[in-house]
């Protein structure tokens, strides 16, 4: 009886040895017996006279051993050479947003020989920075760095990909010129293009006025005419600048003939706020803008009024709010009542809790107050403060809102605090270039 040992799978080009035992009729091993070896499919595997099997091509066959009229066969599977290591070429790549770069994965066996036709799974560590498809083609999505990995048969290698924004070649401002009456506004648009004239979206634009006493410009390109004259408005992106000429003229003067307030009566609870709107008209009934309005409360202990007509209820009673412009006045009656007792304030939350601003930029914060059970409370007075008002100022604009503005100073952080009763909440403002 012949008993060959069952072989493991063999890789293409690799070898392994088979052994056979020849047993006599008494079941004892016959020493020195001659064994003849053969392969059923020599295209897949061959076997030497001593039982050495060599893998030739992928597939399966059988190897037979015979001696003295006895024989036995064993299956032989020939498998691909295992991947021992993988390399990604190039190991580093740089591209701009929207551009592509081809990465190549090279697989090697244990002897360092290149293996072809192996499947590679590609992945990116940051798809928001760069994506990669099944062929290793990387596409830049946004500025930053991503690690691209290729994996084959459990072996992994990576490449570092840096994505940068396409450089701005020029900036055009439209309209390139405009005439504006003092007190009015005009919106400008800045378009950044690359060297090929392609429009670049999402680029930061810094607006500036060469003559802010004539015309100012917001961070969004809205020009406000201040006084008669000419101002050059510039838009800068990536070091490239475009400009528009703004000519400001004075409006014909018109005297204020009448003032009206809306609403003419208002009921508030202590701690609440509301806005009064003053409308100024000339003798023909045309509404006037850009005029100074002086606001006054007959009883500040009952209700106060801001320079913008924002009324805040302070104590129970009645107050008359008067708006005056160029000697003409109108009044509104404010009735203030004390709200029913409510739960104590346990916490104050400001949204957003973090803000990032450049110099001269503004943002609106909203504060909400809650009791110990997490229920939101209404009608509470909120006080606002800045730990560095020389860097970031804060101005209350409503019962629960405030406007913050970067007024100067170096880059850094400022803490804005909203206080209601004994509870406080904060928002961190980061100032940067």
């Amino acid at each position: 009886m012949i008993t060959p040992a069952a072989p493991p799978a063999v890789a293409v080009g690799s070898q392994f040895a088979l052994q056979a035992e020849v047993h006599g009729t008494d079941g004892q091993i016959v020493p020195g017996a001659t064994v003849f070896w053969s392969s059923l499919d020599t295209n897949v595997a061959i076997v030497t006279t001593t039982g050495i099997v060599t893998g030739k091509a992928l597939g399966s066959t059988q190897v037979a051993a015979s001696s003295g009229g006895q024989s036995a066969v064993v299956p032989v599977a020939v498998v691909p050479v295992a991947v021992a290591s993988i390399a990604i070429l190039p190991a580093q790549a740089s591209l701009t947003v929207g551009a592509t770069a081809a990465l190549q994965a090279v697989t090697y066996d244990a002897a360092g020989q290149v293996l072809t036709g192996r499947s590679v799974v590609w992945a990116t560590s940051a798809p928001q920075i760069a994506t990669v498809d099944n062929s290793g083609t990387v596409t830049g999505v946004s500025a930053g760095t991503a690690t691209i990995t290729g994996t084959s048969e459990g072996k992994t290698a990576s490449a570092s990909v840096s994505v940068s924004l396409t450089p701005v070649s020029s900036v055009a401002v439209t309209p390139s010129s405009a005439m504006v009456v003092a007190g009015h506004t005009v919106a400008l648009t800045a378009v950044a293009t690359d060297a090929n004239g392609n429009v670049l979206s999402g680029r930061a634009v810094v607006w500036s006025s060469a003559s802010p006493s004539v015309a100012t410009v917001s961070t969004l390109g809205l020009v406000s005419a201040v006084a008669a004259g000419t101002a050059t408005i510039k838009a800068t992106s990536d070091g490239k600048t475009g400009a528009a000429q703004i000519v400001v003229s004075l409006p014909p003067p018109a005297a204020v003939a009448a003032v009206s307030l809306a609403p003419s009566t208002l009921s508030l609870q202590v701690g609440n706020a509301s806005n009064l709107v003053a409308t100024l008209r000339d003798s023909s009934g045309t509404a006037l803008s850009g005029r100074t309005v002086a606001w006054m409360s007959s009883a500040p202990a009952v209700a106060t009024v801001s320079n913008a007509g924002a009324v805040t209820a302070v104590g129970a009673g009645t107050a008359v709010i008067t708006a005056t412009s160029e000697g003409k006045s109108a009044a509104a009656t404010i009735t203030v009542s004390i709200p029913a007792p409510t739960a104590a304030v346990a916490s104050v939350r400001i949204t957003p809790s973090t803000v990032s601003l450049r110099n001269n930029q503004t943002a609106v914060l909203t504060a909400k107050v809650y009791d110990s059970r997490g229920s939101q409370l209404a009608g509470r007075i909120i006080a606002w403060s800045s730990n560095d008002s020389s860097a970031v100022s804060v101005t209350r604009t409503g019962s629960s809102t405030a406007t913050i503005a970067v007024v100067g100073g170096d880059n850094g952080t400022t803490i804005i605090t909203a206080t209601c009763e004994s509870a406080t909440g904060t928002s961190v403002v980061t100032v940067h270039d």
Side-chain angles (χ1 to χ4, degrees):
M1 180 177 180
I2 303 171
T3 311
V10 60
V12 174
S14 298
Q15 297 179 329
F16 67 90
L18 286 176
Q19 294 180 345
E21 294 178 347
V22 179
H23 295 259
T25 56
D26 57 359
Q28 299 298 313
I29 296 175
V30 179
T34 300
V35 177
F36 298 94
W37 297 90
S38 63
S39 172
L40 181 65
D41 188 346
T42 57
N43 291 323
V44 175
I46 60 174
V47 60
T48 67
T49 57
T50 58
I52 304 299
V53 178
T54 302
K56 300 294 289 182
L58 300 181
S60 60
T61 185
Q62 290 181 328
V63 172
S66 61
S67 179
Q70 301 295 320
S71 65
V73 296
V74 290
V76 173
V78 180
V79 298
V81 177
V83 173
S85 63
I86 183 174
I88 305 299
L89 302 176
Q92 293 182 331
S94 299
L95 65 159
T96 56
V97 173
T100 61
L103 298 182
Q104 180 183 7
V106 182
T107 53
Y108 302 90
D109 63 14
Q113 298 298 313
V114 174
L115 301 174
T116 60
R118 299 308 168 92
S119 175
V120 177
V121 177
W122 295 91
T124 175
S125 65
Q128 74 278 14
I129 302 295
T131 61
V132 61
D133 65 14
N134 294 334
S135 66
T137 298
V138 179
T139 302
V141 177
S142 62
T145 301
T147 299
I148 306 299
T149 57
T151 302
S152 182
E153 297 181 20
K155 306 300 180 181
T156 299
S158 63
S160 177
V161 175
S162 298
V163 181
S164 59
L165 296 175
T166 303
V168 174
S169 178
S170 64
V171 177
V173 178
T174 56
S176 59
S177 62
M179 297 186 66
V180 189
V181 175
H184 292 255
T185 61
V186 62
L188 300 181
T189 302
V191 178
T193 54
D194 62 17
N196 297 320
N198 299 312
V199 175
L200 301 173
S201 61
R203 298 309 172 90
V205 176
V206 177
W207 293 90
S208 62
S209 171
S211 304
S213 61
V214 175
T216 61
V217 62
S218 74
T219 57
L220 299 178
L222 182 66
V223 177
S224 298
V226 178
T230 301
T232 299
I233 305 298
K234 296 180 179 180
T236 302
S237 180
D238 243 5
K240 305 299 180 180
T241 300
Q245 296 297 317
I246 304 299
V247 178
V248 180
S249 60
L250 291 175
V256 175
V259 178
S260 62
L261 275 182
S264 59
T265 60
L266 192 62
S267 296
L268 296 174
Q269 289 186 333
V270 173
N272 288 352
S274 186
N275 291 321
L276 295 179
V277 177
T279 302
L280 314 181
R281 299 185 184 275
D282 62 17
S283 57
S284 65
T286 302
L288 302 174
S289 61
R291 304 303 171 91
T292 300
V293 177
W295 296 86
M296 184 180 68
S297 171
S298 65
V302 175
T304 61
V305 62
S306 73
N307 292 333
V311 178
T312 301
V314 178
T318 301
V320 176
I321 304 298
T322 304
T324 303
S325 181
E326 298 180 16
K328 305 299 181 179
S329 299
T333 301
I334 312 300
T335 302
V336 179
S337 60
I338 298 175
T342 57
V345 175
S347 63
V348 179
R349 302 173 195 169
I350 300 178
T351 55
S353 59
T354 60
V355 184
S356 179
L357 298 175
R358 291 188 175 89
N359 198 24
N360 296 323
Q361 283 189 319
T362 63
V364 175
L365 301 180
T366 300
K368 295 181 179 180
V369 297
Y370 300 87
D371 61 18
S372 59
R373 296 177 300 175
S375 299
Q376 186 176 343
L377 303 175
R380 301 305 172 92
I381 298 176
I382 299 173
W384 297 85
S385 62
S386 168
N387 75 333
D388 188 359
S389 58
S390 64
V392 179
S393 66
V394 59
T395 303
R396 176 178 173 174
T397 55
S399 61
S400 61
T401 59
T403 297
I404 59 173
V406 179
V407 296
D410 298 328
N411 295 349
T413 57
T414 300
I415 306 300
I416 303 300
T417 302
T419 303
C420 184
E421 297 181 11
S422 61
T424 61
T426 60
S427 178
V428 180
V429 181
T430 302
V431 179
H432 61 89
D433 294 332

